[in-house]
Amino acid sequence: MKTLPYVVLVAASLLAPTFASAAEQPLDELIVTATRRDALLTSSAAGIAYISGDLAASSGVQDVRELQKLTPGLLGAATSNPTYQTLRIRGIGTVGDNPGLESSVAVVVDGVRRARNGASLSDLGDLDHIEVIKGPQAALFGKSVTAGLINVTTAAPTFTPSASGEFEVGNYNYRGGRLTLNGPLIGDELAGRLYVSARKRDGFYDIRTGEGPRTETDDSDQNSLAVRGQLLWRPVEAVSLRVIGDIFKQDESCCVGVTIRTGPSAAWVDSLATDAGVLAPADPGRRLAYWNRNTHARIDESGLSAQLTWKGDAATFNSITALRTWDSELGQDWDFTSADVAYRPDDGGFASRFTTLSEEATLAGSHGPLDWLVGGYIGEERLRRRDALLYGADYEAYLGLVLTGGVNPNRVSELTGLPVGTSYVSGQGERDEYRQAARTTAIFTDNTLKLSDVFSLNAGLRLTDDDKTLRATFSNTDGGKACAAALARGAASTGTLCLPWSNPAFNNYSARQTSNDRNLSGHLKLIARPNADLTLWAGYATGYKAAGFNLDRAQTNLIPDASTAFPSEDVRNIEVGARGALLDNRLLLTATVFDAKFTDFQLNSFLGTTFVVRAVPRVTSRGVDADFRWSDGPLSLQGGLVYADTEYGDDPQPGLALLPGSHLSFAPLWSGSLAGGYDWSVGSWLTRFSLSAKYSSAYNTGSDLAPAKVQPAFTLLGGRVSLGPADRRWSVDLWGENLTDKRYFQVAYNAPFQGSTGIRDTPAPIYDPARDTQTYGAFLGAPRTFGVTFRVKR
């Protein structure tokens, strides 16, 4: 009997993961699960970008953010901490800064949905493959989504013993390693797989810390640990149970931005900081940031899932039960300068916790011309968010400069009647807590009726109930005394003195809100397969994203808003597509034409002081999505091109006057990708060359569409050269990402309290450059990185 000790002994002499296969799998062997059943990619009637585990490994993909370099039409961006992540497909996504909004693009790993995009960034481990399914996904995969879904399938345990290891080093003092053990534990009934990885790197930015208390002089570093263990039990041929447990820990400093343009307020900041306060003139290429407060980000994620599969003569039953927790504790320098204006403390006061419990069960089979599937889903989500925004030592003086155009730092004292330095005391401010309970229940079906040897009709339907309850409690640790004093004196400028975090109306205030949604979504698709190599389809699909609550303070005329609710987001999509295999299955071509219309699109916008969530009545996304795969001997290529015209409707948006009729932010009109590998054999040696490129046309990176936030068109290049013996027992890889060291914006922002964008609702012109006094910053993409990887396997 082969047992675990044997696997451990085999692995003990090794160091790291498998060498990418010399060639991609044959096209007629690529399996996708977009319909919750195994199906060949070549005959699938859906817009799917397929990334094999080998391609992901040779392209350095470690988490879902890095998929964008291999997937046209997929874009990811991050802001002021690693949990604020947003994924977009064809220009549609949900800004990740507010956990009250669910994601338009869902991430599912081994059948289990992640709570938000920011809670899906752990190390993916050894991959089997990834499917990026584009367009609304209503009937299957847990909850309905409106833009698309990333379906990750990791490598399962096998009964063939194997072990692999990896160690790599790179610039920015990068060190990383991982170990995989796999094999039988009890005969041919129980197999196990263990994956462990650790990564560490210095930051991409240099920091000027002013008067502190921050001591770290770099930022956007990496320090993570991932452990993933699996058991596969097959007591009989028809039954299998796969149990997966995973842990992910992250303890980093992230994220700072750089100044891309300074306004008049830069001089005010300079007068208060012990250094320059901000970099003036702006020079984002230096990657130099001024930040006096820490940006610690501690993330702990864990999960346990069990997938039971029973294959009967007439039907297959599948059940996935999962429990996941995700915790983050963060710190933030709110004003993005080295003056001590305001901050979110690294004491647990700025934190989020998701706990999710889900069960999905399906029964699928076939009867005559009908392939059928029915199922049910229930999910419980508990969200606790703590938010603290505290005054720094310079808040009062800076507010005085704002009120007087940089003339009088003591103006606040004159308005409140309180002694100088006592209106807003350092360390005081808001401390709030939000507790949201959400339950989703659904029944669904997906069926394909064969009408003839050529035509089939696919139909899916999902009935969903979403119930949410929010309890919020608010407090001002100083009682909001400065605002109260100014109001008592009838002072002017109370709007600035009584911003939401300093408004005494929130002190000891609590609120309870509920939301109840029922939605019926689905799809109808006509499929034609005139021969074994060609699939055509035309379909109509609807999608839905649940209503929710803005988890931030909101007020009108200094009165807390009784409701912070926003409605559900809905989409209706028409899609026509074709997929064909050519040249004896060496080439696979796919093209899709889509026309999606969104109603009540959920937009989360930062307006310089607080986040505002609004439902935009109309958004459209129309275009063409095409991709190809080529595999022939030593050469493999994969790429695609997406044209997506994604626009707001003409409905006025108060405070966001540039939006009507404009392209959405983060929505390039064109995007394309190309990745390839070539194997060169000389005797008993094999060299593999890999190259990837991702192109995006220009797009705006700010939710208000301020012209200063436009990212011009750019291309990112990555490459890898692997050398080793033909049996691939070991290899040495030289790799690089962003090879041309292209500087690009992930997200550009308005520095808080530092000017005006010059955008107004009326009168025309809506945007006047002469009135634009705003200091702008940006969170940059990663610079050029390079290194060497040593791999062995057995």
Side-chain angles (χ1 to χ4, degrees):
M1 179 183 294
K2 298 176 181 178
T3 60
L4 180 60
Y6 170 76
V7 178
V8 174
L9 288 173
V10 170
S13 62
L14 301 177
L15 277 173
T18 53
F19 185 85
S21 72
E24 288 285 299
Q25 287 177 271
L27 296 179
D28 57 2
E29 295 181 7
L30 300 180
I31 301 297
V32 295
T33 57
T35 61
R36 284 298 205 194
R37 312 141 163 114
D38 290 346
L40 290 173
L41 174 64
T42 52
S43 60
S44 177
I48 302 172
Y50 182 96
I51 297 98
S52 68
D54 290 336
L55 178 60
S58 63
S59 301
V61 172
Q62 299 171 355
D63 59 45
V64 294
R65 290 170 296 189
E66 296 170 334
L67 288 174
Q68 59 185 315
K69 61 188 175 185
L70 299 175
T71 311
L74 175 65
L75 189 147
T79 58
S80 59
N81 70 68
T83 73
Y84 287 177
Q85 297 283 340
T86 302
L87 297 170
R88 292 174 171 83
I89 291 178
R90 296 171 177 169
I92 299 295
T94 304
V95 175
D97 303 66
N98 191 326
L101 287 86
E102 297 179 9
S103 305
S104 297
V105 177
V107 177
V108 175
V109 181
D110 291 325
V112 180
R113 179 168 169 154
R114 298 299 195 253
R116 301 290 187 274
N117 287 168
S120 62
L121 302 178
S122 56
D123 189 322
L124 295 175
D126 297 324
L127 293 171
D128 184 274
H129 72 277
I130 299 173
E131 304 160 41
V132 180
I133 310 171
K134 301 178 181 180
Q137 303 299 311
L140 305 171
F141 294 100
K143 303 185 70 171
S144 172
V145 291
T146 55
L149 182 140
I150 298 174
N151 185 28
V152 179
T153 302
T154 66
T158 68
F159 291 89
T160 301
S162 63
S164 61
E166 172 184 292
F167 176 72
E168 55 187 356
V169 294
N171 61 336
Y172 293 96
N173 198 26
Y174 172 70
R175 298 91 73 199
R178 61 181 190 171
L179 174 70
T180 301
L181 309 177
N182 172 81
L185 303 179
I186 302 176
D188 57 359
E189 291 187 9
L190 184 66
R193 190 179 190 95
L194 176 66
Y195 170 86
V196 181
S197 76
R199 308 182 194 280
K200 196 165 187 176
R201 171 181 47 74
D202 294 342
F204 291 145
Y205 296 86
D206 293 324
I207 307 296
R208 302 288 186 269
T209 61
E211 62 192 84
R214 180 187 179 120
T215 59
E216 299 89 358
T217 57
D218 69 342
D219 199 274
S220 296
D221 58 2
Q222 184 178 26
N223 183 19
S224 65
L225 172 68
V227 180
R228 185 180 183 87
Q230 303 183 59
L231 294 174
L232 178 63
W233 182 45
R234 288 181 175 169
V236 295
E237 185 176 352
V239 177
S240 67
L241 176 65
R242 184 182 179 189
V243 178
I244 305 172
D246 65 275
I247 296 172
F248 179 70
K249 293 183 177 294
Q250 195 172 350
D251 189 354
E252 302 172 350
S253 291
C254 187
C255 306
V256 301
V258 296
T259 303
I260 60 175
R261 200 199 79 173
T262 56
S265 63
W268 314 342
V269 173
D270 187 15
S271 70
L272 297 174
T274 58
D275 50 23
V278 296
L279 182 60
D283 184 3
R286 292 179 62 184
R287 291 185 176 269
L288 177 62
Y290 285 73
W291 235 258
N292 73 295
R293 291 284 177 171
N294 78 66
T295 54
H296 286 165
R298 291 182 294 275
I299 297 173
D300 290 294
E301 180 180 2
S302 62
L304 181 65
S305 66
Q307 179 175 354
L308 175 65
T309 301
W310 170 77
K311 296 182 179 180
D313 294 334
T316 297
F317 173 78
N318 193 69
S319 167
I320 301 177
T321 307
L323 172 66
R324 298 201 62 82
T325 61
W326 182 87
D327 287 276
S328 68
E329 291 188 2
L330 311 167
Q332 184 188 56
D333 191 329
W334 180 84
D335 54 281
F336 303 162
T337 75
S338 61
D340 193 25
V341 178
Y343 64 100
R344 286 188 161 96
D346 178 29
D347 62 359
F350 183 37
S352 295
R353 176 182 177 89
F354 284 98
T355 302
T356 57
L357 176 64
S358 63
E359 164 63 32
E360 183 177 67
T362 61
L363 186 66
S366 60
H367 181 75
L370 179 66
D371 288 335
W372 55 270
L373 179 146
V374 294
Y377 174 85
I378 183 167
E380 296 274 355
E381 178 185 279
R382 295 290 184 268
L383 165 61
R384 184 189 69 187
R385 182 183 187 228
R386 291 174 176 168
D387 192 15
L389 180 59
L390 308 182
Y391 313 123
D394 297 326
Y395 183 88
E396 182 176 323
Y398 185 75
L399 204 59
L401 295 173
V402 169
L403 292 170
T404 61
V407 175
N408 182 8
N410 297 325
R411 179 57 177 161
V412 170
S413 176
E414 296 170 0
L415 293 171
T416 63
L418 301 173
V420 172
T422 64
S423 293
Y424 301 100
V425 176
S426 179
Q428 302 296 315
E430 73 166 44
R431 286 190 179 269
D432 303 336
E433 183 173 81
Y434 305 85
R435 291 180 177 268
Q436 178 177 284
R439 168 175 284 192
T440 299
T441 56
I443 54 174
F444 54 88
T445 184
D446 183 87
N447 309 283
T448 300
L449 177 65
K450 189 173 182 180
L451 303 174
S452 69
D453 290 340
V454 175
F455 292 100
S456 300
L457 187 66
N458 173 251
L461 204 61
R462 183 185 192 91
L463 178 63
T464 303
D465 279 311
D466 275 305
D467 298 313
K468 293 182 179 180
T469 300
L470 173 67
R471 292 178 173 84
T473 56
F474 306 87
S475 66
N476 296 65
T477 60
D478 63 352
K481 65 177 182 179
C483 172
L487 291 172
R489 290 166 58 90
S493 304
T494 52
T496 304
L497 296 176
C498 298
L499 288 163
W501 54 84
S502 52
N503 184 352
F506 281 97
N507 193 37
N508 297 322
Y509 174 71
S510 62
R512 183 181 184 274
Q513 302 179 65
T514 61
S515 171
N516 307 102
D517 275 333
R518 171 166 286 191
N519 175 266
L520 184 66
S521 298
H523 63 266
L524 184 66
K525 188 181 301 182
L526 180 65
I527 304 168
R529 295 188 176 92
N531 57 59
D533 297 325
L534 180 62
T535 300
L536 309 171
W537 69 90
Y540 175 80
T542 63
Y544 150 87
K545 182 156 72 82
F549 309 102
N550 179 12
L551 304 189
D552 201 355
R553 291 192 179 193
Q555 63 185 37
T556 304
N557 297 324
L558 303 185
I559 299 173
D561 290 349
S563 172
T564 62
F566 50 84
S568 62
E569 175 181 300
D570 297 278
V571 62
R572 278 144 181 75
N573 182 51
I574 297 173
E575 182 174 288
V576 178
R579 176 174 286 115
L582 305 171
L583 304 176
D584 294 327
N585 272 330
R586 294 194 300 272
L587 176 64
L588 182 66
L589 299 176
T590 305
T592 305
V593 178
F594 58 91
D595 185 347
K597 297 179 180 179
F598 295 79
T599 56
D600 291 331
F601 176 76
Q602 296 169 2
L603 179 66
N604 184 40
S605 303
F606 182 64
L607 300 183
T609 54
T610 58
F611 285 97
V612 175
V613 181
R614 65 185 67 195
V616 179
R618 292 180 297 162
V619 166
T620 58
S621 180
R622 302 183 176 99
V624 180
D625 193 330
D627 63 67
F628 77 95
R629 297 177 65 89
W630 167 272
S631 182
D632 186 16
L635 177 65
S636 61
L637 293 172
Q638 176 173 335
L641 184 66
V642 173
Y643 171 83
D645 188 6
T646 306
E647 294 185 340
Y648 291 108
D650 295 328
D651 307 273
Q653 297 297 319
L656 295 169
L658 292 179
L659 268 61
S662 298
H663 282 95
L664 271 68
S665 54
F666 309 98
L669 196 63
W670 292 94
S671 67
S673 68
L674 179 64
Y678 182 80
D679 293 341
W680 181 34
S681 298
V682 178
S684 61
W685 293 90
L686 176 67
T687 302
R688 181 174 176 84
F689 301 91
S690 302
L691 185 68
S692 64
K694 176 66 180 288
Y695 167 80
S696 289
S697 62
Y699 57 92
N700 198 295
T701 65
S703 57
D704 60 0
L705 300 183
K709 300 176 182 178
V710 171
Q711 167 58 50
F714 68 104
T715 301
L716 298 177
L717 298 176
R720 182 178 296 256
V721 179
S722 299
L723 174 65
D727 63 8
R728 303 175 202 133
R729 291 291 182 177
W730 61 268
S731 70
V732 178
D733 297 3
L734 301 177
W735 52 266
E737 298 292 340
N738 192 4
L739 293 174
T740 61
D741 202 21
K742 179 66 179 179
R743 175 181 56 79
Y744 62 98
F745 304 157
Q746 291 193 83
V747 179
Y749 56 83
N750 306 335
F753 270 178
Q754 296 174 56
S756 170
T757 62
I759 301 171
R760 59 184 177 184
D761 295 329
T762 56
I766 292 175
Y767 172 72
D768 183 357
R771 297 198 316 270
D772 189 347
T773 62
Q774 181 68 51
T775 291
Y776 293 99
F779 301 101
L780 302 180
R784 175 169 50 222
T785 56
F786 53 86
V788 58
T789 301
F790 306 92
R791 306 182 181 202
V792 293
K793 73 169 186 175
R794 183 173 298 178

